[in-house]
Amino acid sequence: MSSVEFDAGHRLWLLRTPNSAYAFRLDAADRPRHVHWGAPLTLEQAAGIAPQPSPADSSFDEPGDERLELPADGGAFFGVAGLGVRFADGTQALEWTYAGHEVEDGELAVRLRDRHYPLEAELRYRAHDDVIERRLRLRHTGNDDPITLLRTDSAAWTMPHRAGARLTHTSGSWSAESGLLRENLPVGETTLTSRRGVSSHQANPWLMLDDGNATETGGEVWSTALAWSGSWRITVERSHTGRVTWTGGFGHEGVQWRLNPGEAWETPVFAGLYAADGFGGTSRRWHSYVREHVQPQPGESRPIVYNSWEATGWDVDEAGQLKLAALAAEVGAELFVMDDGWFGARTGDTAGLGDWTVNRRRFPDGLGPLAAEVHRLGMGFGVWVEPEMVNPDSDLYREHPDWVLSMAHRERTTLRNQLVLDFGRPEVAGWAYEWLHRLVGEHGVDYLKWDMNRAFTEAGRPGDDDPGRLWVDHVRAVYGVLDRLREAHPALRIQACSGGGGRADLGILARTDEVWASDNTDAADRVTIQHGYSQLLPAGTMAAWVTDSPNPLTGRAAPLEFRFHVAMAGVLGLGGDLTRWSAAELQTATGFVALYKEIRPIVQHGDAYRLADPAASPLSAVQYVLGDDVVVLFLRRPHDYGRPVVTPVLAGLDPDARFRDVDTGEVHHGAVLLNHGLGLGLPGSGYASRLIRLRREPRSR
């Protein structure tokens, strides 16, 4: 249960969640000031929190130490502004007057107006369980000149004073996404950002902060995540006094927008979560929030996909796809997805992108026969699409060269031989929706793999006097197309892909069903990628394929069992060339697919426990618990011979309960599992893995 309370005498608001409290107040100048974010408090207790005195009596420092809820230019504020505006006469400072508040459908809106200029701001708060969603709404209340918006962050957050400060975030690149970093926060400003037009492979729009002592199983953690799939910026400031604050929102530095008279401007949600049970407890709360309040089909389990890309590459035709579909059905796949190469002149990545008509040389009778056979085999039918891009060598570009992002008198940079279509233009987004709508409706398409394979360059629109908006307009238009498709085709399911994990964020997951976490399907690398991904997002959103060995990207060989066990830690999929697999390999795959179908509810909907960090040990493990059922995956990568490897203990179990191994019948005491783990006996020092299923025994009377 969550609630919003107000103390009129102290002009203080309190949001209470099951395990935390969040409080802020208005100061004498009507500026919203942060009061508390952490352990549960009552309204009376929050009102008793005295403002911190100024650490130094100096004209070079800010008076007092209470942080602003909406840091903006104006007065003696020298931190990072989350809201920056410039009025027509050049004024940039803001001065607020309180204009009231209301709670509607569980959302608190606190209204502020500038004391002189026609600008109104609404600070919005909503609690879902322990997650607090925050966003900002601005409105131009005048009739004359526009207001320039220099920066419009969704929210600013404050960590309580602690002796230390440590930042957890991710860093990576294409095919090496979600690399987890945990490092001491320096004094000064630390900026995490993407300037690429997508949330990016290089960083993810979330962070966690602690005092340096939190572990996987204990300690206070403050975390936030931005629900946005385009460029973004989060800046964390650790002051010389030890105060830690951060502000974040869409767009990056140097991008600005114009707010016209009568117009409103809304930011995406920037959600925050306080947890007192370490990084593991933080992740489980985020997972629950994503499943229950973000995903469009929260109770649904994701099917086992077979994707043809690594089997065929560009060599796509009806006969080859039919052969793969038959084999995929034999091993138990539930969804067959044909990847790139089925349309236009698309026989490589240099031509045809944007011409979304079936290649009749490859599919003489269109996609109908393939879709019908896939459905006859008992599988759903899916196709790969990349609606936001175009090859210069395409009929679409020759007809509409003005539809791409570009700048006057500047070259159009091609990356992967393609340009970015300007979805901020209504005619472009409308064109995309119409052909997607026809594709899904006319061919019985059950699933789209929506890809996006390059960053923005020359992000302009010749003749547009407010070009900064395209950074936001593009993403919102993509959201709009996805929303319209789902409304028109309620059974359609969509995977978010951006050259792998370039769009793994809460914004895209509100409109898609799963994320392709990386183009890297090497099982050894995936252990690390999936560990970082799991910090915020649940296993039921993470597509993971079993592909060929040696791996096509890395050339590394790994046993089929290990490859399956790694992929079974998420949404299991198949992506190898099944026509080259031996009869024994196909039989093994069939067994693992059948096993995954049994454990799928536990993995995709259960509570996840990371039992060991893959960066710290060659033996990592992840455990899932749903009701009385437990699944544990142990994954060991090669290590030095003779070096001892510690077997992780289990977590989240009742120590007084008994658990029976579903496969062997052996019974284990919960207390023993929590303190000593399981005796694995993994052979050798190379790749090895085990999947263990446990079920809690009924209590004897």
Side-chain angles (χ1 to χ4, degrees):
M1 188 202 98
S2 303
S3 65
V4 178
E5 301 173 53
F6 178 59
D7 181 333
H10 292 87
R11 301 207 298 173
L12 180 142
W13 291 267
L14 177 71
L15 284 82
R16 288 206 287 175
T17 80
N19 297 287
S20 68
Y22 189 95
F24 65 99
R25 67 176 183 87
L26 296 179
D27 66 13
D30 284 356
R31 291 170 297 200
R33 296 278 188 179
H34 177 77
V35 173
H36 173 81
W37 185 24
L41 291 179
T42 66
L43 186 63
E44 180 183 5
Q45 291 166 339
I49 299 174
Q52 293 289 324
S54 177
D57 184 13
S58 164
S59 61
F60 296 97
D61 285 303
E62 299 169 35
D65 202 33
E66 273 191 322
R67 300 292 91 182
L68 293 165
E69 285 285 284
L70 183 65
D73 290 328
F77 171 71
F78 305 107
V80 179
L83 176 63
V85 306
R86 184 170 59 244
F87 297 104
D89 62 3
T91 295
Q92 292 187 205
L94 286 158
E95 294 181 357
W96 298 116
T97 181
Y98 173 56
H101 79 275
E102 60 187 18
V103 179
E104 185 175 351
D105 296 328
E107 184 176 41
L108 167 66
V110 177
R111 294 189 303 278
L112 306 169
R113 294 194 183 102
D114 188 86
R115 295 179 183 274
H116 176 78
Y117 295 97
L119 179 66
E120 181 179 88
E122 287 184 357
L123 282 66
R124 291 185 166 264
Y125 301 75
R126 181 192 298 275
H128 287 300
D129 300 324
D130 287 322
V131 172
I132 296 172
E133 296 179 344
R134 293 180 57 189
R135 58 194 176 99
L136 174 67
R137 185 177 187 271
L138 300 172
R139 189 166 65 89
H140 191 316
T141 59
N143 300 310
D144 299 321
D145 298 311
I147 300 169
T148 301
L149 304 179
L150 306 174
R151 184 71 200 167
T152 56
D153 281 355
S154 300
W157 303 86
T158 299
M159 175 180 164
H161 271 298
R162 294 293 186 266
R166 182 172 56 174
L167 173 67
T168 297
H169 62 111
T170 59
S171 177
S173 62
W174 173 79
S175 285
E177 297 90 337
S178 301
L180 189 65
L181 295 177
R182 196 159 280 153
E183 50 200 1
N184 290 331
L185 184 68
V187 172
E189 298 171 8
T190 300
T191 295
L192 311 176
T193 190
S194 167
R195 305 179 186 92
R196 291 168 166 82
V198 289
S199 42
S200 88
H201 304 77
Q202 288 72 22
N204 293 96
W206 63 263
L207 59 80
M208 298 179 184
L209 286 155
D210 74 294
D211 66 359
N213 295 305
T215 65
E216 185 69 19
T217 57
E220 293 183 300
V221 178
W222 293 263
S223 56
T224 56
L226 183 67
W228 185 245
S229 308
S231 291
W232 55 275
R233 188 195 74 179
I234 301 173
T235 299
V236 190
E237 180 185 10
R238 186 179 185 188
S239 73
H240 61 288
T241 65
R243 175 66 85 181
V244 176
T245 59
W246 63 103
T247 179
F250 54 11
H252 52 273
E253 71 283 351
V255 178
Q256 52 189 254
W257 306 279
R258 189 174 62 214
L259 187 65
N260 295 309
E263 188 178 18
W265 181 257
E266 295 194 10
T267 70
V269 164
F270 196 14
L273 167 67
Y274 165 81
D277 50 358
F279 296 109
T282 297
S283 295
R284 285 186 290 279
R285 286 176 171 82
W286 278 116
H287 296 173
S288 177
Y289 167 73
V290 172
R291 285 194 298 260
E292 296 175 18
H293 302 292
V294 176
Q295 290 187 271
Q297 301 292 331
E300 194 171 275
S301 293
R302 306 306 315 136
I304 297 171
V305 171
Y306 176 81
N307 183 287
S308 67
W309 173 251
E310 291 198 5
T312 64
W314 306 105
D315 190 15
V316 177
D317 60 25
E318 184 176 304
Q321 296 296 302
L322 286 171
K323 188 174 182 180
L324 287 168
L327 289 168
E330 284 183 21
V331 299
E334 298 160 316
L335 178 65
F336 179 84
V337 178
M338 178 171 58
D339 214 281
D340 201 350
W342 57 268
F343 56 91
R346 190 73 166 170
T347 57
D349 66 5
T350 61
L353 190 60
D355 299 336
W356 297 100
T357 56
V358 180
N359 185 320
R360 292 287 175 161
R361 289 190 300 275
R362 296 181 165 196
F363 298 89
D365 298 313
L367 299 183
L370 175 60
E373 178 61 11
V374 168
H375 288 144
R376 189 194 68 79
L377 290 167
M379 298 184 292
F381 176 59
V383 294
W384 177 95
V385 294
E386 191 173 5
E388 299 162 73
M389 301 293 156
V390 64
N391 286 133
D393 185 3
S394 67
D395 293 339
L396 179 70
Y397 184 76
R398 284 184 281 271
E399 184 178 354
H400 296 289
D402 57 318
W403 277 14
V404 300
L405 298 182
S406 62
M407 293 179 175
H409 314 300
R410 293 293 177 261
E411 294 291 331
R412 299 183 177 191
T413 302
T414 55
L415 299 174
R416 203 174 182 258
N417 301 302
Q418 57 195 47
L419 299 168
V420 181
L421 289 170
D422 183 358
F423 263 52
R425 293 174 177 261
E427 64 270 27
V428 177
W431 160 85
Y433 171 77
E434 289 302 329
W435 72 257
L436 286 162
H437 176 57
R438 288 194 305 271
L439 174 70
V440 172
E442 293 176 4
H443 300 286
V445 172
D446 304 293
Y447 178 99
L448 292 175
K449 178 180 178 180
W450 182 304
D451 210 344
M452 193 277 196
N453 273 309
R454 61 152 289 178
F456 286 14
T457 58
E458 292 83 49
R461 187 182 295 152
D464 189 343
D465 62 355
D466 193 14
R469 280 193 177 227
L470 69 82
W471 294 91
V472 172
D473 290 347
H474 183 101
V475 179
R476 285 180 168 162
V478 169
Y479 288 169
V481 172
L482 290 167
D483 291 342
R484 290 180 66 191
L485 280 173
R486 296 193 78 109
E487 184 178 2
H489 306 278
L492 178 67
R493 299 296 177 259
I494 304 172
Q495 181 189 83
C497 178
S498 179
R503 261 187 189 157
D505 57 75
L506 299 183
I508 204 68
L509 273 173
R511 295 158 177 89
T512 60
D513 302 280
E514 62 187 33
V515 170
W516 181 228
S518 180
D519 281 348
N520 186 348
T521 60
D522 180 285
D525 286 347
R526 272 289 183 138
V527 171
T528 301
I529 292 168
Q530 293 176 185
H531 180 78
Y533 183 96
S534 74
Q535 302 296 314
L536 183 79
L537 302 177
T541 68
M542 183 181 68
W545 296 352
V546 178
T547 59
D548 295 330
S549 181
N551 183 267
L553 177 68
T554 67
R556 187 156 41 200
L560 185 59
E561 180 181 51
F562 183 84
R563 285 177 274 148
F564 262 100
H565 284 158
V566 171
M568 291 165 79
V571 178
L572 175 65
L574 302 167
D577 186 354
L578 299 182
T579 65
R580 295 177 179 270
W581 287 24
S582 68
E585 288 175 319
L586 291 172
Q587 184 178 6
T588 299
T590 302
F592 277 120
V593 168
L595 175 58
Y596 183 77
K597 290 176 182 177
E598 294 182 27
I599 68 170
R600 171 165 47 192
I602 308 161
V603 173
Q604 295 190 13
H605 302 286
D607 290 333
Y609 295 84
R610 295 181 294 264
L611 304 183
D613 184 348
S617 171
L619 177 59
S620 62
V622 61
Q623 171 191 321
Y624 303 94
V625 180
L626 183 65
D628 293 334
D629 290 302
V630 182
V631 171
V632 192
L633 286 156
F634 293 95
L635 308 166
R636 192 191 68 194
R637 292 175 289 181
H639 63 98
D640 293 343
Y641 179 79
R643 173 179 256 176
V645 176
V646 178
T647 301
V649 299
L650 274 59
L653 305 179
D654 180 354
D656 297 324
R658 294 170 181 257
F659 295 85
R660 181 177 297 276
D661 189 308
V662 173
D663 299 300
T664 69
E666 186 177 359
V667 175
H668 304 273
H669 291 273
V672 175
L673 294 173
L674 292 170
N675 289 281
H676 298 279
L678 289 157
L680 296 179
L682 297 177
S685 58
Y687 288 106
S689 58
R690 276 190 70 185
L691 186 156
I692 294 175
R693 295 186 289 169
L694 303 173
R695 183 164 295 134
R696 178 174 176 155
E697 296 263 86
R699 291 188 183 274
S700 58
R701 296 184 179 179

